[in-house]
């Protein structure tokens, strides 16, 4: 039976992955997990033990530092320490321990912001988005180098916007705003945003880990059907049993609010901008998403 080592196993994606893996599982966590063999280690302050990967065949690396509410520029060292330094430490230990495969869950932010009216793929590489994106991109490049030099199979997955049970990001915030009535109806700007359900992402991770063609490759993961922010808003109204408003706040008002501060401008941009990505490369391996926006229910947030 194969042995798997999972970092970030207690997180949003990790909890779903750990239930889908078929084999012996060892996890790395700050606290001991009752159902699995645990390597207890705080990645922000401790060194991974030398014996952590004994007998491991495949690593799923989901740990990372993201979504911190502090000014990212003031804690950039922490982003690079966790997202780059610790990742490479584990990869080098993996090589020494004879691990066969290392699957790194990165982010589309490592490929930079998609430009309007385009559908970015793995060959498109713009300036990575923010400290988080830059740290993930640096980790990607160095991991691929380690894999090439050592012969260890390294694969990288860049998820688009992930939704599903336990999600804590902007989609959950949007749903909360609709339920509580403080988020006004969004304008239809015909922007396009790529998404993927966490269970489909888990299927993609397992597919990439099992296919030898994925060695040294990067794969973007989406459900293949991008939606505008207004379409997402309407779907969430239906989820919480609220009638979809027949009016919307004009985009010009959002543009005016954006002038108040760079932070507000960034937030509005994230809400209404294009973030469209292609997962054709992943689909060429046989991947096909099973869930989409129309299948969402309230337990998905």
């Amino acid at each position: 039976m194969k042995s798997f080592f999972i970092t970030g196993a207690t997180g949003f994606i990790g909890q779903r992955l750990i239930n889908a893996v078929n084999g012996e599982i060892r996890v790395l966590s700050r606290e001991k997990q009752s159902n699995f063999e645990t390597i207890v280690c705080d990645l922000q302050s401790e060194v991974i033990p030398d014996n952590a990967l004994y007998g491991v065949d495949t690593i799923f690396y989901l740990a990372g530092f993201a979504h911190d509410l502090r000014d990212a520029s003031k804690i950039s060292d922490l982003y690079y320490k966790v997202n780059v330094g610790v990742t490479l430490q584990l990869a080098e230990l993996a090589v020494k321990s004879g691990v066969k495969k290392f699957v790194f869950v990165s982010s589309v932010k490592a490929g930079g912001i998609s430009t309007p009216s385009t559908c970015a793929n793995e060959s498109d590489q713009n300036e990575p988005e923010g400290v988080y994106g830059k740290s993930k991109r640096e980790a990607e490049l160095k991991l691929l180098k380690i894999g090439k030099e050592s012969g260890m199979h390294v694969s990288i997955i860049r998820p688009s916007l992930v939704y599903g049970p336990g999600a804590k990001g902007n989609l959950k915030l949007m749903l909360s705003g609709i339920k509580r009535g403080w988020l006004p109806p969004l304008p239809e700007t015909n922007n396009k945003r790529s998404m993927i359900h966490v269970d489909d992402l888990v299927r993609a991770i397992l597919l990439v880990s099992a296919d030898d063609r994925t060695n040294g490759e990067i794969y973007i993961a989406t459900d293949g059907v991008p939606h505008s922010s207004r379409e997402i808003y309407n779907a969430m109204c239906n989820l919480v049993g609220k009638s979809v408003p027949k009016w919307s706040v004009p985009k010009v008002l959002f543009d005016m609010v954006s002038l108040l501060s760079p932070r507000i401008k960034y937030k509005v941009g994230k809400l209404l901008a294009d973030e469209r990505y292609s997962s054709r490369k992943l689909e060429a391996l046989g991947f096909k998403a099973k869930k989409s926006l129309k299948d969402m229910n309230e337990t998905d947030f």
Side-chain angles (χ1 to χ4, degrees), residues 88 104 106 110 125 128 134-148 154 156 158 218:
L88 300 182
F104 180 60
S106 182
Q125 185 61 49
K134 290 177 181 177
S135 63
K136 283 293 189 179
R137 180 55 177 164
E138 184 172 331
E140 287 182 356
L141 293 172
K142 292 183 175 179
L143 277 175
L144 292 172
K145 185 173 184 290
I146 289 174
K148 186 175 181 179
V154 173
I156 295 168
R158 292 178 176 173
I218 297 174

Side-chain angles (χ1 to χ4, degrees), residues 193-206:
R193 304 182 69 85
S194 294
M195 306 167 64
I196 188 167
H197 190 279
V198 63
D199 290 340
D200 281 325
L201 176 57
V202 165
R203 292 176 51 246
I205 292 171
L206 294 176

Side-chain angles (χ1 to χ4, degrees), residues 13-280:
I13 300 170
Q15 290 181 58
R16 310 293 280 197
L17 175 63
I18 207 168
N19 290 324
V21 169
N22 183 20
E24 296 179 354
I25 296 174
R26 186 181 307 160
V27 303
L28 186 146
S29 176
R30 282 176 290 191
E31 299 178 354
K32 184 171 179 57
Q33 303 301 306
S34 59
N35 296 328
F36 302 98
E37 180 184 357
T38 309
I39 301 298
V40 179
C41 180
D42 185 339
L43 295 179
Q44 293 188 27
S45 58
E46 299 176 337
V47 176
I48 301 170
D50 289 340
N51 65 347
L53 303 178
Y54 177 79
V56 169
D57 297 296
T58 300
I59 293 174
F60 293 116
Y61 195 94
L62 285 76
F65 189 74
H67 304 307
D68 196 283
L69 297 179
R70 292 170 287 178
D71 186 341
S73 64
K74 296 180 180 179
I75 54 172
S76 61
D77 288 349
L78 189 53
Y79 275 90
Y80 280 94
K81 179 180 180 180
V82 177
N83 293 345
V84 182
V86 175
T87 305
L88 300 182
Q89 179 195 346
L90 187 66
E92 290 165 355
L93 181 59
V95 172
K96 293 178 182 178
S97 304
V99 173
K100 296 181 178 65
K101 294 186 177 183
F102 192 112
V103 180
F104 180 60
V105 180
S106 182
S107 167
V108 289
K109 291 180 172 59
I113 302 173
S114 62
T115 56
S117 303
T118 63
C119 187
N121 59 39
E122 295 83 358
S123 298
D124 298 317
Q125 185 61 49
N126 299 315
E127 178 68 16
E129 184 180 350
V131 176
Y132 176 70
K134 290 177 181 177
S135 63
K136 283 293 189 179
R137 180 55 177 164
E138 184 172 331
E140 287 182 356
L141 293 172
K142 292 183 175 179
L143 277 175
L144 292 172
K145 185 173 184 290
I146 289 174
K148 186 175 181 179
E149 293 177 348
S150 68
M152 180 173 66
H153 180 123
V154 173
S155 303
I156 295 168
I157 297 180
R158 292 178 176 173
S160 56
L161 183 62
V162 185
Y163 69 95
K168 299 178 180 180
N170 292 330
L171 287 175
K172 185 174 182 179
L173 185 62
M174 181 186 289
L175 185 68
S176 175
I178 292 171
K179 289 174 71 173
R180 298 179 182 182
W182 58 259
L183 183 65
L186 302 181
E188 180 55 85
T189 63
N190 293 314
N191 67 320
K192 295 298 179 183
R193 304 182 69 85
S194 294
M195 306 167 64
I196 188 167
H197 190 279
V198 63
D199 290 340
D200 281 325
L201 176 57
V202 165
R203 292 176 51 246
I205 292 171
L206 294 176
L207 175 65
V208 167
S209 72
D211 196 318
D212 290 338
R213 293 174 294 175
T214 65
N215 187 23
E217 299 291 340
I218 297 174
Y219 295 89
I220 292 173
T222 82
D223 64 10
V225 186
H227 297 277
S228 71
S229 297
R230 176 65 194 217
E231 288 173 338
I232 297 171
Y233 180 95
N234 291 350
M236 289 187 172
C237 286
N238 292 328
L239 283 184
V240 298
K242 289 197 171 187
S243 59
V244 177
K246 296 181 180 180
W247 62 280
S248 65
V249 175
K251 185 177 184 298
V252 66
L253 292 184
F254 283 93
D255 293 336
M256 292 172 63
V257 170
S258 297
L259 298 176
L260 295 175
S261 74
R263 184 175 181 83
I264 294 176
K265 182 178 181 179
Y266 174 79
K267 290 291 187 181
V268 171
K270 294 296 291 182
L271 186 64
L272 299 177
D274 282 284
E275 288 193 13
R276 185 159 58 113
Y277 301 91
S278 170
S279 54
R280 287 185 179 179

